[in-house]
């Protein structure tokens, strides 16, 4: 047993007892207006929210908004797209994606974020390497706050999970907001 293994073993054997998380009821809000708050927040951070009733509406909006897109990757079986034939085992195959259409587990109204895990993506890099990002969530899967989001996530064991809120952005350069600085230039969320 080397020193690294001894140290890690000592840390593992000397963990504090688990304690219950405190009740934070004062932070929990009523879920009335959650859909409208989500759409408003997403818009405020540079994204676009579309409240739709069918996949046909989503397909129509994508057809109008992304006319110039040459390579659309759809992970949604209800929205098959031409040019979807790629090798998902090689992340380099994704670098020419103009638009990625993915689903999210849920959205968070207070910050306009969506929760995505590794079981929803063929490669973790997809929502960050694509030029444009479209996400589909169900209106019943929008929670009011991050406290609700963490309750929903619970103690599940994920290899990868990420909250994505709006398109890539930075305001470091001359204090001007720049969208699409180091990731997707746009983010549309379709709320079914």
């Amino acid at each position: 047993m080397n020193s690294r293994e001894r140290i890690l073993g000592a840390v593992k054997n000397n963990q504090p007892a688990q304690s219950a998380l405190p009740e934070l009821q004062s932070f929990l809000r009523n879920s009335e207006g959650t859909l409208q708050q989500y759409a408003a927040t997403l818009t405020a951070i540079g994204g676009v929210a579309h409240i739709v009733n069918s996949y046909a509406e989503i397909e129509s909006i994508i057809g109008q908004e992304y006319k110039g897109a040459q390579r659309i990757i759809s992970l949604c079986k209800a929205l098959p797209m031409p040019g979807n034939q790629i090798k998902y085992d090689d992340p380099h195959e994704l670098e020419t994606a103009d638009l990625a259409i993915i689903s999210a587990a849920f959205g968070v109204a207070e910050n306009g974020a969506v929760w995505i895990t590794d079981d929803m993506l063929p490669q973790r890099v997809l929502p960050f390497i694509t030029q444009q990002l479209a996400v589909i969530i169900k209106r019943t899967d929008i929670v009011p706050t991050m406290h609700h989001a963490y309750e929903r996530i619970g103690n599940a064991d994920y290899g990868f999970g990420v909250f994505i809120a709006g398109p890539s952005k930075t305001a470091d350069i001359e204090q001007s907001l720049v969208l699409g600085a180091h990731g997707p230039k746009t983010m549309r969320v379709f709320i079914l």
Side-chain angles (χ1 to χ4, degrees):
M1 177 182 292
N2 62 32
S3 60
R4 178 181 181 274
E5 291 169 339
R6 270 195 318 274
I7 292 169
L8 291 175
V11 169
K12 185 177 181 180
N13 293 329
N14 291 300
Q15 294 292 314
Q18 293 223 353
S19 58
L21 294 174
E23 290 292 326
L24 300 173
Q25 296 300 323
S26 63
F27 290 104
L28 301 179
R29 282 188 248 165
N30 188 335
S31 60
E32 284 183 36
T34 301
L35 176 62
Q36 290 75 19
Q37 182 189 0
Y38 181 85
T41 304
L42 181 64
T43 301
I45 62 172
V48 178
H50 296 280
I51 300 170
V52 296
N53 294 312
S54 68
Y55 286 104
E57 280 185 68
I58 296 172
E59 192 170 12
S60 174
I61 294 168
I62 287 172
Q64 292 169 10
E65 297 296 325
Y66 301 104
K67 289 179 184 168
Q70 301 210 351
R71 187 154 182 226
I72 299 175
I73 298 171
S74 175
L75 300 182
C76 179
K77 290 182 175 146
L79 293 170
M81 295 288 165
N84 233 11
Q85 307 305 318
I86 61 170
K87 297 176 187 171
Y88 289 130
D89 55 336
D90 182 4
H92 296 97
E93 291 285 323
L94 303 172
E95 68 185 346
T96 59
D98 292 316
L99 172 66
I101 304 167
I102 62 176
S103 295
F106 61 88
V108 184
E110 80 174 335
N111 61 8
V114 293
W115 173 248
I116 300 168
T117 59
D118 53 355
D119 62 336
M120 303 171 134
L121 301 170
Q123 289 288 337
R124 296 175 183 177
V125 73
L126 181 60
F128 309 108
I129 200 169
T130 184
Q131 294 295 311
Q132 320 288 334
L133 180 61
V135 182
I136 302 169
I137 59 174
K138 294 179 183 171
R139 61 185 76 204
T140 55
D141 288 333
I142 299 175
V143 298
T145 67
M146 287 298 288
H147 295 284
H148 290 92
Y150 285 120
E151 276 184 16
R152 184 158 175 175
I153 292 169
N155 291 329
D157 188 17
Y158 299 104
F160 171 80
V162 64
F163 284 104
I164 299 176
S168 164
K169 54 193 147 302
T170 185
D172 293 344
I173 303 166
E174 297 183 14
Q175 299 177 350
S176 296
L177 180 63
V178 177
L179 297 177
H182 46 268
K185 296 174 186 163
T186 64
M187 179 176 172
R188 291 182 187 274
V189 176
F190 295 95
I191 305 166
L192 272 170

